[in-house]
């Protein structure tokens, strides 16, 4: 398996990308494993997007219903486009996850 992130980012262009780290929490009453399966399908769709360098979700604290999300985009425009995609709007509209916190880095 190759790592798209390391194939695209190098010392000369690392500052050009958009990075986000987020903690997501399962909405009260929703099943953790069911939500994880839905997130994995969402990740698979997102990975196909032009401008998506890396995008994945991992279990963080199942007892608290938490996941960590990491994403890297070629630029802000790619991230903005991602937020308008039907599957992005669909998963957000299901209200199965809440954003506990995130750290978006657009320049450094």
């Amino acid at each position: 398996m190759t790592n798209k992130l390391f194939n695209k980012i190098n010392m000369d262009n690392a500052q050009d990308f958009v990075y986000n780290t987020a903690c997501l929490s399962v909405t009260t009453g929703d099943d953790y494993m069911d939500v994880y399966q839905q997130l994995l399908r969402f990740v698979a769709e997102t990975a196909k997007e032009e401008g998506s360098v890396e995008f994945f979700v991992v279990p963080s604290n199942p007892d608290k219903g938490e996941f960590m999300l990491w994403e890297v985009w070629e630029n802000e425009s790619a991230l903005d486009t991602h937020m308008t995609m039907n599957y992005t709007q669909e998963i957000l509209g299901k209200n199965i996850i809440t954003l506990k916190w995130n750290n978006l880095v657009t320049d450094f």
Side-chain angles (χ1 to χ4, degrees):
M1 180 169 97
T2 60
N3 188 319
K4 292 189 307 181
L5 182 63
F6 292 113
N7 289 335
K8 288 192 174 191
I9 296 178
N10 59 54
M11 296 297 284
D12 295 326
N13 69 2
Q15 71 279 359
D16 298 332
F17 291 87
V18 173
Y19 306 86
N20 190 41
T21 303
C23 181
L24 309 174
S25 182
V26 173
T27 304
T28 302
D30 286 308
D31 178 71
Y32 188 81
M33 288 308 296
D34 179 57
V35 171
Y36 187 40
Q37 292 300 316
Q38 291 183 61
L39 288 171
L40 290 176
R41 288 189 292 277
F42 172 64
V43 167
E45 288 299 316
T46 300
K48 299 174 192 175
E49 287 183 47
E50 188 168 332
S52 173
V53 177
E54 195 69 64
F55 192 94
F56 60 98
V57 174
V58 296
S60 172
N61 189 335
D63 291 337
K64 291 186 176 182
E66 295 175 351
F67 298 97
M68 293 300 298
L69 175 138
W70 288 280
E71 57 187 315
V72 180
W73 296 92
E74 287 182 358
N75 52 50
E76 284 186 72
S77 177
L79 173 59
D80 291 344
T81 297
H82 164 69
M83 295 307 295
T84 67
M85 301 301 282
N86 289 339
Y87 45 86
T88 302
Q89 293 300 309
E90 181 182 325
I91 198 146
L92 294 174
K94 289 182 176 183
N95 295 317
I96 57 173
I97 52 172
T98 56
L99 177 65
K100 290 189 76 170
W101 59 264
N102 78 301
N103 185 32
L104 180 65
V105 177
T106 59
D107 57 27
F108 60 96

PDB file of all heavy atoms in Angstrom, residues 5 9 13-21 51 53-54 70-80 103-108:
ATOM      1  N   LEU A   5      -0.133  10.630   0.954  1.00  0.00           N
ATOM      2  CA  LEU A   5       0.371  11.817   1.622  1.00  0.00           C
ATOM      3  C   LEU A   5       1.859  11.991   1.368  1.00  0.00           C
ATOM      4  O   LEU A   5       2.309  13.046   0.952  1.00  0.00           O
ATOM      5  CB  LEU A   5       0.082  11.724   3.114  1.00  0.00           C
ATOM      6  CG  LEU A   5       0.508  12.903   3.979  1.00  0.00           C
ATOM      7  CD1 LEU A   5      -0.254  14.145   3.562  1.00  0.00           C
ATOM      8  CD2 LEU A   5       0.243  12.598   5.444  1.00  0.00           C
ATOM      9  N   ILE A   9       3.513  15.181  -0.664  1.00  0.00           N
ATOM     10  CA  ILE A   9       4.058  16.253   0.161  1.00  0.00           C
ATOM     11  C   ILE A   9       5.572  16.090   0.265  1.00  0.00           C
ATOM     12  O   ILE A   9       6.068  15.008   0.518  1.00  0.00           O
ATOM     13  CB  ILE A   9       3.428  16.257   1.563  1.00  0.00           C
ATOM     14  CG1 ILE A   9       1.940  16.566   1.468  1.00  0.00           C
ATOM     15  CG2 ILE A   9       4.110  17.269   2.464  1.00  0.00           C
ATOM     16  CD1 ILE A   9       1.217  16.558   2.789  1.00  0.00           C
ATOM     17  N   ASN A  13       6.727  21.803  -0.746  1.00  0.00           N
ATOM     18  CA  ASN A  13       5.317  22.145  -0.927  1.00  0.00           C
ATOM     19  C   ASN A  13       4.444  21.897   0.301  1.00  0.00           C
ATOM     20  O   ASN A  13       3.254  22.131   0.250  1.00  0.00           O
ATOM     21  CB  ASN A  13       4.736  21.402  -2.129  1.00  0.00           C
ATOM     22  CG  ASN A  13       4.611  19.910  -1.901  1.00  0.00           C
ATOM     23  OD1 ASN A  13       4.925  19.393  -0.838  1.00  0.00           O
ATOM     24  ND2 ASN A  13       4.161  19.193  -2.918  1.00  0.00           N
ATOM     25  N   ALA A  14       5.000  21.441   1.392  1.00  0.00           N
ATOM     26  CA  ALA A  14       4.210  21.096   2.587  1.00  0.00           C
ATOM     27  C   ALA A  14       3.333  22.251   3.055  1.00  0.00           C
ATOM     28  O   ALA A  14       2.212  22.040   3.520  1.00  0.00           O
ATOM     29  CB  ALA A  14       5.118  20.636   3.723  1.00  0.00           C
ATOM     30  N   GLN A  15       3.805  23.457   2.915  1.00  0.00           N
ATOM     31  CA  GLN A  15       3.044  24.621   3.374  1.00  0.00           C
ATOM     32  C   GLN A  15       1.882  24.966   2.460  1.00  0.00           C
ATOM     33  O   GLN A  15       1.027  25.764   2.819  1.00  0.00           O
ATOM     34  CB  GLN A  15       3.961  25.843   3.541  1.00  0.00           C
ATOM     35  CG  GLN A  15       4.456  26.431   2.242  1.00  0.00           C
ATOM     36  CD  GLN A  15       5.647  25.700   1.627  1.00  0.00           C
ATOM     37  OE1 GLN A  15       6.155  24.729   2.171  1.00  0.00           O
ATOM     38  NE2 GLN A  15       6.076  26.174   0.464  1.00  0.00           N
ATOM     39  N   ASP A  16       1.800  24.344   1.288  1.00  0.00           N
ATOM     40  CA  ASP A  16       0.734  24.646   0.336  1.00  0.00           C
ATOM     41  C   ASP A  16      -0.562  23.890   0.615  1.00  0.00           C
ATOM     42  O   ASP A  16      -1.615  24.251   0.098  1.00  0.00           O
ATOM     43  CB  ASP A  16       1.177  24.334  -1.095  1.00  0.00           C
ATOM     44  CG  ASP A  16       2.357  25.188  -1.525  1.00  0.00           C
ATOM     45  OD1 ASP A  16       2.492  26.314  -1.010  1.00  0.00           O
ATOM     46  OD2 ASP A  16       3.146  24.709  -2.356  1.00  0.00           O
ATOM     47  N   PHE A  17      -0.488  22.849   1.405  1.00  0.00           N
ATOM     48  CA  PHE A  17      -1.641  21.993   1.651  1.00  0.00           C
ATOM     49  C   PHE A  17      -2.493  22.511   2.811  1.00  0.00           C
ATOM     50  O   PHE A  17      -2.058  23.337   3.601  1.00  0.00           O
ATOM     51  CB  PHE A  17      -1.192  20.558   1.942  1.00  0.00           C
ATOM     52  CG  PHE A  17      -0.611  19.871   0.738  1.00  0.00           C
ATOM     53  CD1 PHE A  17       0.730  19.995   0.430  1.00  0.00           C
ATOM     54  CD2 PHE A  17      -1.417  19.105  -0.093  1.00  0.00           C
ATOM     55  CE1 PHE A  17       1.273  19.374  -0.682  1.00  0.00           C
ATOM     56  CE2 PHE A  17      -0.893  18.471  -1.209  1.00  0.00           C
ATOM     57  CZ  PHE A  17       0.463  18.618  -1.504  1.00  0.00           C
ATOM     58  N   VAL A  18      -3.728  22.014   2.898  1.00  0.00           N
ATOM     59  CA  VAL A  18      -4.649  22.333   3.985  1.00  0.00           C
ATOM     60  C   VAL A  18      -4.774  21.075   4.842  1.00  0.00           C
ATOM     61  O   VAL A  18      -5.013  19.988   4.311  1.00  0.00           O
ATOM     62  CB  VAL A  18      -6.030  22.749   3.438  1.00  0.00           C
ATOM     63  CG1 VAL A  18      -7.034  22.916   4.547  1.00  0.00           C
ATOM     64  CG2 VAL A  18      -5.895  24.023   2.613  1.00  0.00           C
ATOM     65  N   TYR A  19      -4.612  21.228   6.149  1.00  0.00           N
ATOM     66  CA  TYR A  19      -4.611  20.107   7.075  1.00  0.00           C
ATOM     67  C   TYR A  19      -5.719  20.293   8.109  1.00  0.00           C
ATOM     68  O   TYR A  19      -5.946  21.400   8.580  1.00  0.00           O
ATOM     69  CB  TYR A  19      -3.277  20.042   7.836  1.00  0.00           C
ATOM     70  CG  TYR A  19      -2.057  20.004   6.954  1.00  0.00           C
ATOM     71  CD1 TYR A  19      -1.473  21.181   6.485  1.00  0.00           C
ATOM     72  CD2 TYR A  19      -1.481  18.789   6.603  1.00  0.00           C
ATOM     73  CE1 TYR A  19      -0.345  21.152   5.685  1.00  0.00           C
ATOM     74  CE2 TYR A  19      -0.347  18.751   5.802  1.00  0.00           C
ATOM     75  CZ  TYR A  19       0.217  19.936   5.344  1.00  0.00           C
ATOM     76  OH  TYR A  19       1.334  19.900   4.554  1.00  0.00           O
ATOM     77  N   ASN A  20      -6.371  19.201   8.478  1.00  0.00           N
ATOM     78  CA  ASN A  20      -7.370  19.266   9.540  1.00  0.00           C
ATOM     79  C   ASN A  20      -7.293  18.006  10.389  1.00  0.00           C
ATOM     80  O   ASN A  20      -7.204  16.901   9.872  1.00  0.00           O
ATOM     81  CB  ASN A  20      -8.785  19.407   8.972  1.00  0.00           C
ATOM     82  CG  ASN A  20      -9.797  19.719  10.052  1.00  0.00           C
ATOM     83  OD1 ASN A  20      -9.541  20.511  10.945  1.00  0.00           O
ATOM     84  ND2 ASN A  20     -10.948  19.091   9.979  1.00  0.00           N
ATOM     85  N   THR A  21      -7.323  18.214  11.678  1.00  0.00           N
ATOM     86  CA  THR A  21      -7.435  17.134  12.655  1.00  0.00           C
ATOM     87  C   THR A  21      -8.690  17.429  13.454  1.00  0.00           C
ATOM     88  O   THR A  21      -8.896  18.568  13.875  1.00  0.00           O
ATOM     89  CB  THR A  21      -6.218  17.110  13.607  1.00  0.00           C
ATOM     90  OG1 THR A  21      -5.036  16.980  12.824  1.00  0.00           O
ATOM     91  CG2 THR A  21      -6.321  15.972  14.597  1.00  0.00           C
ATOM     92  N   GLY A  51      -8.155  16.462  -5.378  1.00  0.00           N
ATOM     93  CA  GLY A  51      -7.690  17.378  -4.339  1.00  0.00           C
ATOM     94  C   GLY A  51      -7.584  16.752  -2.972  1.00  0.00           C
ATOM     95  O   GLY A  51      -7.043  17.347  -2.051  1.00  0.00           O
ATOM     96  N   VAL A  53      -5.775  14.527  -0.601  1.00  0.00           N
ATOM     97  CA  VAL A  53      -4.460  13.912  -0.466  1.00  0.00           C
ATOM     98  C   VAL A  53      -4.532  12.760   0.530  1.00  0.00           C
ATOM     99  O   VAL A  53      -4.021  11.675   0.281  1.00  0.00           O
ATOM    100  CB  VAL A  53      -3.411  14.956  -0.010  1.00  0.00           C
ATOM    101  CG1 VAL A  53      -2.050  14.314   0.202  1.00  0.00           C
ATOM    102  CG2 VAL A  53      -3.333  16.100  -1.020  1.00  0.00           C
ATOM    103  N   GLU A  54      -5.196  12.996   1.643  1.00  0.00           N
ATOM    104  CA  GLU A  54      -5.357  11.974   2.680  1.00  0.00           C
ATOM    105  C   GLU A  54      -6.631  12.276   3.448  1.00  0.00           C
ATOM    106  O   GLU A  54      -6.933  13.436   3.730  1.00  0.00           O
ATOM    107  CB  GLU A  54      -4.161  12.005   3.623  1.00  0.00           C
ATOM    108  CG  GLU A  54      -4.024  10.801   4.502  1.00  0.00           C
ATOM    109  CD  GLU A  54      -3.661   9.552   3.737  1.00  0.00           C
ATOM    110  OE1 GLU A  54      -2.574   9.474   3.150  1.00  0.00           O
ATOM    111  OE2 GLU A  54      -4.503   8.636   3.718  1.00  0.00           O
ATOM    112  N   TRP A  70      -8.485  12.699  10.270  1.00  0.00           N
ATOM    113  CA  TRP A  70      -7.346  13.436   9.727  1.00  0.00           C
ATOM    114  C   TRP A  70      -7.594  13.628   8.248  1.00  0.00           C
ATOM    115  O   TRP A  70      -7.982  12.686   7.554  1.00  0.00           O
ATOM    116  CB  TRP A  70      -6.030  12.678   9.933  1.00  0.00           C
ATOM    117  CG  TRP A  70      -5.571  12.679  11.348  1.00  0.00           C
ATOM    118  CD1 TRP A  70      -4.920  13.690  12.006  1.00  0.00           C
ATOM    119  CD2 TRP A  70      -5.728  11.633  12.299  1.00  0.00           C
ATOM    120  NE1 TRP A  70      -4.666  13.321  13.303  1.00  0.00           N
ATOM    121  CE2 TRP A  70      -5.156  12.058  13.511  1.00  0.00           C
ATOM    122  CE3 TRP A  70      -6.299  10.353  12.257  1.00  0.00           C
ATOM    123  CZ2 TRP A  70      -5.124  11.275  14.644  1.00  0.00           C
ATOM    124  CZ3 TRP A  70      -6.280   9.582  13.389  1.00  0.00           C
ATOM    125  CH2 TRP A  70      -5.698  10.043  14.568  1.00  0.00           C
ATOM    126  N   GLU A  71      -7.363  14.837   7.788  1.00  0.00           N
ATOM    127  CA  GLU A  71      -7.543  15.102   6.368  1.00  0.00           C
ATOM    128  C   GLU A  71      -6.495  16.091   5.883  1.00  0.00           C
ATOM    129  O   GLU A  71      -6.088  16.994   6.609  1.00  0.00           O
ATOM    130  CB  GLU A  71      -8.955  15.596   6.062  1.00  0.00           C
ATOM    131  CG  GLU A  71      -9.381  16.830   6.810  1.00  0.00           C
ATOM    132  CD  GLU A  71     -10.845  17.177   6.593  1.00  0.00           C
ATOM    133  OE1 GLU A  71     -11.330  17.143   5.442  1.00  0.00           O
ATOM    134  OE2 GLU A  71     -11.508  17.506   7.593  1.00  0.00           O
ATOM    135  N   VAL A  72      -6.067  15.860   4.647  1.00  0.00           N
ATOM    136  CA  VAL A  72      -5.130  16.754   3.975  1.00  0.00           C
ATOM    137  C   VAL A  72      -5.678  16.997   2.578  1.00  0.00           C
ATOM    138  O   VAL A  72      -6.038  16.045   1.871  1.00  0.00           O
ATOM    139  CB  VAL A  72      -3.711  16.140   3.880  1.00  0.00           C
ATOM    140  CG1 VAL A  72      -2.754  17.097   3.182  1.00  0.00           C
ATOM    141  CG2 VAL A  72      -3.184  15.754   5.260  1.00  0.00           C
ATOM    142  N   TRP A  73      -5.741  18.271   2.202  1.00  0.00           N
ATOM    143  CA  TRP A  73      -6.269  18.682   0.899  1.00  0.00           C
ATOM    144  C   TRP A  73      -5.210  19.468   0.165  1.00  0.00           C
ATOM    145  O   TRP A  73      -4.389  20.157   0.783  1.00  0.00           O
ATOM    146  CB  TRP A  73      -7.530  19.535   1.092  1.00  0.00           C
ATOM    147  CG  TRP A  73      -8.627  18.759   1.730  1.00  0.00           C
ATOM    148  CD1 TRP A  73      -8.898  18.666   3.066  1.00  0.00           C
ATOM    149  CD2 TRP A  73      -9.561  17.912   1.068  1.00  0.00           C
ATOM    150  NE1 TRP A  73      -9.959  17.820   3.267  1.00  0.00           N
ATOM    151  CE2 TRP A  73     -10.385  17.340   2.062  1.00  0.00           C
ATOM    152  CE3 TRP A  73      -9.790  17.587  -0.261  1.00  0.00           C
ATOM    153  CZ2 TRP A  73     -11.409  16.465   1.751  1.00  0.00           C
ATOM    154  CZ3 TRP A  73     -10.816  16.717  -0.563  1.00  0.00           C
ATOM    155  CH2 TRP A  73     -11.621  16.168   0.444  1.00  0.00           C
ATOM    156  N   GLU A  74      -5.249  19.405  -1.167  1.00  0.00           N
ATOM    157  CA  GLU A  74      -4.273  20.131  -1.971  1.00  0.00           C
ATOM    158  C   GLU A  74      -4.382  21.640  -1.789  1.00  0.00           C
ATOM    159  O   GLU A  74      -3.389  22.352  -1.881  1.00  0.00           O
ATOM    160  CB  GLU A  74      -4.408  19.770  -3.444  1.00  0.00           C
ATOM    161  CG  GLU A  74      -3.897  18.379  -3.743  1.00  0.00           C
ATOM    162  CD  GLU A  74      -3.977  18.017  -5.217  1.00  0.00           C
ATOM    163  OE1 GLU A  74      -4.476  18.825  -6.035  1.00  0.00           O
ATOM    164  OE2 GLU A  74      -3.541  16.902  -5.538  1.00  0.00           O
ATOM    165  N   ASN A  75      -5.606  22.113  -1.500  1.00  0.00           N
ATOM    166  CA  ASN A  75      -5.813  23.551  -1.308  1.00  0.00           C
ATOM    167  C   ASN A  75      -7.194  23.770  -0.674  1.00  0.00           C
ATOM    168  O   ASN A  75      -7.974  22.837  -0.526  1.00  0.00           O
ATOM    169  CB  ASN A  75      -5.683  24.314  -2.631  1.00  0.00           C
ATOM    170  CG  ASN A  75      -6.552  23.718  -3.718  1.00  0.00           C
ATOM    171  OD1 ASN A  75      -7.744  23.479  -3.525  1.00  0.00           O
ATOM    172  ND2 ASN A  75      -5.957  23.447  -4.880  1.00  0.00           N
ATOM    173  N   GLU A  76      -7.458  25.011  -0.309  1.00  0.00           N
ATOM    174  CA  GLU A  76      -8.742  25.335   0.331  1.00  0.00           C
ATOM    175  C   GLU A  76      -9.919  25.109  -0.599  1.00  0.00           C
ATOM    176  O   GLU A  76     -11.004  24.740  -0.155  1.00  0.00           O
ATOM    177  CB  GLU A  76      -8.743  26.770   0.845  1.00  0.00           C
ATOM    178  CG  GLU A  76      -7.933  26.938   2.117  1.00  0.00           C
ATOM    179  CD  GLU A  76      -8.072  28.326   2.699  1.00  0.00           C
ATOM    180  OE1 GLU A  76      -9.163  28.628   3.240  1.00  0.00           O
ATOM    181  OE2 GLU A  76      -7.103  29.096   2.614  1.00  0.00           O
ATOM    182  N   SER A  77      -9.717  25.321  -1.868  1.00  0.00           N
ATOM    183  CA  SER A  77     -10.790  25.110  -2.838  1.00  0.00           C
ATOM    184  C   SER A  77     -11.239  23.648  -2.840  1.00  0.00           C
ATOM    185  O   SER A  77     -12.440  23.364  -2.916  1.00  0.00           O
ATOM    186  CB  SER A  77     -10.325  25.531  -4.229  1.00  0.00           C
ATOM    187  OG  SER A  77     -11.322  25.276  -5.179  1.00  0.00           O
ATOM    188  N   ALA A  78     -10.295  22.727  -2.756  1.00  0.00           N
ATOM    189  CA  ALA A  78     -10.637  21.302  -2.715  1.00  0.00           C
ATOM    190  C   ALA A  78     -11.443  20.981  -1.457  1.00  0.00           C
ATOM    191  O   ALA A  78     -12.422  20.229  -1.509  1.00  0.00           O
ATOM    192  CB  ALA A  78      -9.380  20.448  -2.787  1.00  0.00           C
ATOM    193  N   LEU A  79     -11.047  21.546  -0.330  1.00  0.00           N
ATOM    194  CA  LEU A  79     -11.799  21.338   0.916  1.00  0.00           C
ATOM    195  C   LEU A  79     -13.199  21.935   0.798  1.00  0.00           C
ATOM    196  O   LEU A  79     -14.187  21.302   1.183  1.00  0.00           O
ATOM    197  CB  LEU A  79     -11.051  21.949   2.104  1.00  0.00           C
ATOM    198  CG  LEU A  79     -11.787  21.950   3.440  1.00  0.00           C
ATOM    199  CD1 LEU A  79     -12.173  20.542   3.885  1.00  0.00           C
ATOM    200  CD2 LEU A  79     -10.946  22.640   4.508  1.00  0.00           C
ATOM    201  N   ASP A  80     -13.288  23.126   0.248  1.00  0.00           N
ATOM    202  CA  ASP A  80     -14.596  23.772   0.076  1.00  0.00           C
ATOM    203  C   ASP A  80     -15.511  22.925  -0.812  1.00  0.00           C
ATOM    204  O   ASP A  80     -16.699  22.755  -0.507  1.00  0.00           O
ATOM    205  CB  ASP A  80     -14.446  25.169  -0.525  1.00  0.00           C
ATOM    206  CG  ASP A  80     -13.790  26.155   0.427  1.00  0.00           C
ATOM    207  OD1 ASP A  80     -13.717  25.872   1.643  1.00  0.00           O
ATOM    208  OD2 ASP A  80     -13.324  27.206  -0.058  1.00  0.00           O
ATOM    209  N   ASN A 103      -8.834  21.251  14.450  1.00  0.00           N
ATOM    210  CA  ASN A 103      -7.735  22.178  14.253  1.00  0.00           C
ATOM    211  C   ASN A 103      -7.442  22.227  12.760  1.00  0.00           C
ATOM    212  O   ASN A 103      -6.838  21.311  12.215  1.00  0.00           O
ATOM    213  CB  ASN A 103      -6.503  21.736  15.046  1.00  0.00           C
ATOM    214  CG  ASN A 103      -5.385  22.731  14.963  1.00  0.00           C
ATOM    215  OD1 ASN A 103      -5.630  23.932  14.868  1.00  0.00           O
ATOM    216  ND2 ASN A 103      -4.160  22.264  14.990  1.00  0.00           N
ATOM    217  N   LEU A 104      -7.887  23.290  12.107  1.00  0.00           N
ATOM    218  CA  LEU A 104      -7.715  23.471  10.680  1.00  0.00           C
ATOM    219  C   LEU A 104      -6.507  24.377  10.457  1.00  0.00           C
ATOM    220  O   LEU A 104      -6.443  25.471  10.998  1.00  0.00           O
ATOM    221  CB  LEU A 104      -8.961  24.106  10.062  1.00  0.00           C
ATOM    222  CG  LEU A 104      -8.933  24.363   8.570  1.00  0.00           C
ATOM    223  CD1 LEU A 104      -8.852  23.048   7.785  1.00  0.00           C
ATOM    224  CD2 LEU A 104     -10.178  25.145   8.152  1.00  0.00           C
ATOM    225  N   VAL A 105      -5.545  23.894   9.661  1.00  0.00           N
ATOM    226  CA  VAL A 105      -4.355  24.671   9.333  1.00  0.00           C
ATOM    227  C   VAL A 105      -4.369  24.938   7.836  1.00  0.00           C
ATOM    228  O   VAL A 105      -4.289  24.013   7.037  1.00  0.00           O
ATOM    229  CB  VAL A 105      -3.055  23.923   9.735  1.00  0.00           C
ATOM    230  CG1 VAL A 105      -1.829  24.704   9.332  1.00  0.00           C
ATOM    231  CG2 VAL A 105      -3.052  23.602  11.221  1.00  0.00           C
ATOM    232  N   THR A 106      -4.506  26.204   7.474  1.00  0.00           N
ATOM    233  CA  THR A 106      -4.565  26.574   6.055  1.00  0.00           C
ATOM    234  C   THR A 106      -3.287  27.245   5.579  1.00  0.00           C
ATOM    235  O   THR A 106      -3.075  27.367   4.379  1.00  0.00           O
ATOM    236  CB  THR A 106      -5.762  27.497   5.776  1.00  0.00           C
ATOM    237  OG1 THR A 106      -5.638  28.664   6.587  1.00  0.00           O
ATOM    238  CG2 THR A 106      -7.067  26.783   6.072  1.00  0.00           C
ATOM    239  N   ASP A 107      -2.480  27.701   6.502  1.00  0.00           N
ATOM    240  CA  ASP A 107      -1.181  28.262   6.116  1.00  0.00           C
ATOM    241  C   ASP A 107      -0.247  28.253   7.306  1.00  0.00           C
ATOM    242  O   ASP A 107      -0.675  28.289   8.441  1.00  0.00           O
ATOM    243  CB  ASP A 107      -1.311  29.669   5.531  1.00  0.00           C
ATOM    244  CG  ASP A 107      -1.992  30.652   6.472  1.00  0.00           C
ATOM    245  OD1 ASP A 107      -1.920  30.461   7.702  1.00  0.00           O
ATOM    246  OD2 ASP A 107      -2.599  31.611   5.987  1.00  0.00           O
ATOM    247  N   PHE A 108       1.015  28.178   6.982  1.00  0.00           N
ATOM    248  CA  PHE A 108       2.045  28.258   8.023  1.00  0.00           C
ATOM    249  C   PHE A 108       3.368  28.637   7.408  1.00  0.00           C
ATOM    250  O   PHE A 108       3.512  28.700   6.217  1.00  0.00           O
ATOM    251  CB  PHE A 108       2.168  26.958   8.831  1.00  0.00           C
ATOM    252  CG  PHE A 108       2.515  25.726   8.061  1.00  0.00           C
ATOM    253  CD1 PHE A 108       3.834  25.312   7.982  1.00  0.00           C
ATOM    254  CD2 PHE A 108       1.543  24.962   7.436  1.00  0.00           C
ATOM    255  CE1 PHE A 108       4.168  24.155   7.279  1.00  0.00           C
ATOM    256  CE2 PHE A 108       1.863  23.814   6.750  1.00  0.00           C
ATOM    257  CZ  PHE A 108       3.181  23.419   6.673  1.00  0.00           C
TER     258      PHE A 108
END
